[in-house]
Amino acid sequence: MKKYDLNNIMQMDSFYRVKLINCLSGFRMPVLIGTKDEKNGENLAIFNSFTHIGSNPPLFGVIFRPDSVPRNTLANIQTTKLYTINFIPEHLIDQAHQTSAKYSPDTSEFTACGIEAEYRDGFPAPFVRESLVKIAMELAETHHIQSNGTILVVGRMLELNMSDTVISEDGFIDFEALGTPGMIGLDAYMSFKKIKRLSYAKPDTWVKEI
Amino acid sequence: MKKYDLNNIMQMDSFYRVKLINCLSGFRMPVLIGTKDEKNGENLAIFNSFTHIGSNPPLFGVIFRPDSVPRNTLANIQTTKLYTINFIPEHLIDQAHQTSAKYSPDTSEFTACGIEAEYRDGFPAPFVRESLVKIAMELAETHHIQSNGTILVVGRMLELNMSDTVISEDGFIDFEALGTPGMIGLDAYMSFKKIKRLSYAKPDTWVKEI
């Protein structure tokens, strides 16, 4: 086991450090965020910082790097307050990854990357038609992280669109059936297999497989 | 595809909703957070909200629910400012899950759950001896999420302990070699397999496998 102190880490090549530190945060689920700008232009971008904030009410967070590519998404969310979260089907991984390219603000990534948009029930922001889980979101609050200038955007789930056949009796979602990929770092897409589910832990008994 | 509006979701059984909404945030990597209280007592708890905040400097976040089990961890971090992040080896999944039980504040989860503590280089917070990646962290800032009372704790990485043989030339970590499990929701542990790595996306070319 090797020891890297902060000095060693800060002296690493910056591309190397970005990959290493991104990898250290482990598995994540990339999602596509769909927005509209104030001129009604569509925007779609991949994010790998989708985070659970709470269930009552249902809240999710996303971390935005102000100096990174998908800042159009942040500006659009701040202007329109509404956005969509779309799970990525495995056959759209390449197209989804391509949305992270620095397209000009007036380019729709739906068109540029070959992803079909869908509008549902009058919600103004675009969904991804082929996505098997499509969530309508509303901006709740933003937090500015002082340490590095990133921004945490917290949103409320307004509407969930998905098949109920992949939801088990207790609310668990069968991701293997959905075929949604996971991600490590900024560029590695992963498939998953369940090892086991464990019971709710209590001090006086030992966890067991459920 | 079924549509659930906010009203449908809020009327769900609360255990069902908690599982469903936790699942919706997708794959995550559970980690064990080690702390000490002001009386020098050890605490260890599993968290599944470990999040990348930035690489320059290296920053990670964790979401704490004030009304949930591991609030000792939050209190200890706020008091001592120092904590450890430990990846979970696959053979310790049950023990790691067991740390989420509501043990009394004066119980060490290391002892109660059969996980060996390790102290390194004078760092006061305990590491997990069998963990293959052990990170020393210092509290940087906290953010109170108004929408539901949760707290985002952002910390700076002070030291990284891991084998350099699982880090590739470009900084990518070979998680398959590490054998660290992923997680879905609150109770499902997953193994995973790489589908592919994709090149850095640019507007004028199409992504390709690397």
Side-chain angles (χ1 to χ4, degrees):
Chain A
M1 187 162 276
K2 197 166 161 179
K3 172 179 159 179
Y4 303 87
D5 64 20
L6 193 53
N7 201 28
N8 302 142
I9 291 161
M10 295 311 292
Q11 283 173 358
M12 289 170 176
D13 166 77
S14 70
F15 288 103
Y16 181 96
R17 185 179 59 235
V18 164
K19 288 208 175 171
L20 179 67
I21 306 300
N22 261 284
C23 278
L24 280 177
S25 59
F27 314 107
R28 294 175 275 182
M29 181 179 68
V31 292
L32 285 163
I33 299 187
T35 54
K36 277 223 168 157
D37 64 25
E38 48 193 353
K39 295 175 194 152
N40 212 31
E42 289 170 343
N43 187 283
L44 187 71
I46 190 169
F47 284 84
N48 68 359
S49 59
F50 185 54
T51 301
H52 179 264
I53 302 287
S55 300
N56 185 18
L59 299 166
F60 298 110
V62 180
I63 303 286
F64 289 83
R65 272 157 271 288
D67 57 346
S68 76
V69 178
R71 57 184 174 275
N72 299 329
T73 302
L74 177 59
N76 292 350
I77 292 175
Q78 287 174 324
T79 305
T80 67
K81 317 292 185 203
L82 298 172
Y83 55 108
T84 69
I85 301 280
N86 305 272
F87 282 25
I88 299 170
E90 192 172 332
H91 70 276
L92 282 187
I93 290 176
D94 288 15
Q95 290 88 334
H97 192 77
Q98 183 69 34
T99 65
S100 63
K102 293 182 192 176
Y103 289 106
S104 69
D106 54 354
T107 299
S108 163
E109 289 84 2
F110 284 100
T111 312
C113 305
I115 297 175
E116 200 182 345
E118 181 187 30
Y119 289 89
R120 296 176 72 89
D121 304 322
F123 194 73
F127 294 91
V128 170
R129 182 175 300 280
E130 294 185 59
S131 175
L132 294 179
V133 179
K134 312 175 204 220
I135 305 174
M137 297 287 297
E138 179 183 33
L139 174 64
E141 55 189 285
T142 55
H143 292 264
H144 292 255
I145 314 289
Q146 307 299 323
S147 303
N148 70 342
T150 55
I151 294 163
L152 168 69
V153 168
V154 177
R156 267 181 294 272
M157 180 164 86
L158 297 180
E159 204 177 287
L160 167 65
N161 300 283
M162 68 182 292
S163 164
D164 56 1
T165 60
V166 295
I167 307 177
S168 72
E169 270 184 12
D170 66 352
F172 186 75
I173 297 174
D174 184 351
F175 275 78
E176 289 167 273
L178 279 179
T180 305
M183 195 165 196
I184 290 177
L186 295 170
D187 57 26
Y189 294 85
M190 319 291 286
S191 65
F192 279 71
K193 224 178 105 182
K194 190 165 70 184
I195 302 170
K196 57 184 162 187
R197 288 185 68 189
L198 291 176
S199 59
Y200 184 79
K202 294 175 184 175
D204 51 349
T205 57
W206 193 252
V207 290
K208 57 177 191 291
E209 213 167 325
I210 56 172
Chain B
M1 189 162 276
K2 198 166 160 180
K3 171 179 159 179
Y4 302 86
D5 64 19
L6 193 52
N7 203 27
N8 303 143
I9 291 160
M10 293 312 290
Q11 283 172 359
M12 289 170 176
D13 166 77
S14 70
F15 288 102
Y16 181 96
R17 184 179 58 236
V18 163
K19 286 206 176 172
L20 180 67
I21 305 300
N22 262 284
C23 278
L24 280 176
S25 59
F27 309 108
R28 295 174 274 182
M29 180 179 67
V31 292
L32 285 164
I33 300 187
T35 55
K36 277 223 170 159
D37 65 24
E38 47 192 355
K39 294 173 195 153
N40 211 31
E42 290 171 344
N43 186 283
L44 186 72
I46 189 169
F47 284 83
N48 67 359
S49 58
F50 185 54
T51 302
H52 179 263
I53 301 287
S55 301
N56 185 19
L59 298 166
F60 299 109
V62 180
I63 304 287
F64 288 83
R65 273 158 270 289
D67 58 346
S68 77
V69 178
R71 57 184 173 276
N72 299 328
T73 303
L74 177 59
N76 291 351
I77 292 175
Q78 288 175 323
T79 305
T80 66
K81 317 294 185 203
L82 299 172
Y83 54 107
T84 68
I85 300 280
N86 305 272
F87 283 25
I88 299 170
E90 192 173 333
H91 70 277
L92 282 188
I93 289 176
D94 289 14
Q95 289 88 334
H97 192 76
Q98 183 69 34
T99 65
S100 62
K102 293 181 193 176
Y103 289 106
S104 69
D106 53 355
T107 300
S108 163
E109 290 82 2
F110 284 101
T111 312
C113 304
I115 298 175
E116 200 182 346
E118 181 187 33
Y119 289 88
R120 295 176 72 89
D121 303 323
F123 193 72
F127 294 91
V128 171
R129 181 174 302 277
E130 294 185 59
S131 174
L132 294 179
V133 179
K134 312 175 204 217
I135 304 174
M137 298 287 297
E138 178 182 36
L139 174 64
E141 55 189 285
T142 56
H143 292 264
H144 291 255
I145 315 290
Q146 306 299 323
S147 303
N148 71 343
T150 54
I151 294 163
L152 168 69
V153 168
V154 177
R156 268 181 293 272
M157 180 163 86
L158 296 180
E159 203 177 287
L160 167 65
N161 300 283
M162 68 182 292
S163 164
D164 57 359
T165 60
V166 296
I167 307 176
S168 73
E169 270 185 12
D170 67 353
F172 185 75
I173 296 174
D174 184 350
F175 276 78
E176 289 168 275
L178 278 179
T180 305
M183 195 165 197
I184 290 177
L186 296 170
D187 57 26
Y189 294 85
M190 318 291 287
S191 65
F192 49 87
K193 228 178 100 183
K194 190 165 71 184
I195 301 170
K196 56 184 161 188
R197 288 185 68 187
L198 292 175
S199 59
Y200 185 79
K202 295 177 185 175
D204 53 346
T205 56
W206 192 252
V207 290
K208 58 176 190 292
E209 212 167 326
I210 55 173

